[in-house]
Amino acid sequence: MMKRNNDIRAAAKANGVYLYEIAEKIGVSEPTLIRYLRKEVSGSMKAKALEAIEEIKREHESEQSAEN
């Protein structure tokens, strides 16, 4: 079975972002996000998720910088 929304999943994995973080950022629960990802999401939802990943990535980087 092929997973849908591989671009979102791959971007999250490549940037060290968890699905629960994306869900929080876009204002849904983690189970809801996972349900959304079962079927191909709309262009606007895909854009929101990818933007959330970028924001979270920047937050992680700034946290890393603050620790060092």
Side-chain angles (χ1 to χ4, degrees):
M1 183 170 118
M2 185 173 147
K3 286 190 176 182
R4 300 201 178 12
N5 303 297
N6 282 327
D7 48 351
I8 295 171
R9 295 172 193 274
K13 186 172 186 173
N15 291 295
V17 175
Y18 294 104
L19 292 179
Y20 79 86
E21 294 174 301
I22 300 168
E24 283 179 2
K25 188 64 79 174
I26 64 174
V28 299
S29 68
E30 183 182 9
T32 297
L33 177 63
I34 291 168
R35 269 196 318 273
Y36 287 166
L37 295 178
R38 287 181 190 158
K39 296 183 179 177
E40 197 63 35
V41 295
S42 68
S44 62
M45 175 57 83
K46 190 171 296 244
K48 282 174 74 171
L50 293 172
E51 178 57 35
I53 291 168
E54 284 301 312
E55 285 182 40
I56 296 163
K57 175 187 165 190
R58 287 191 297 272
E59 291 170 5
H60 287 183
E61 288 170 348
S62 66
E63 289 170 4
Q64 289 286 335
S65 296
E67 290 177 2
N68 296 329

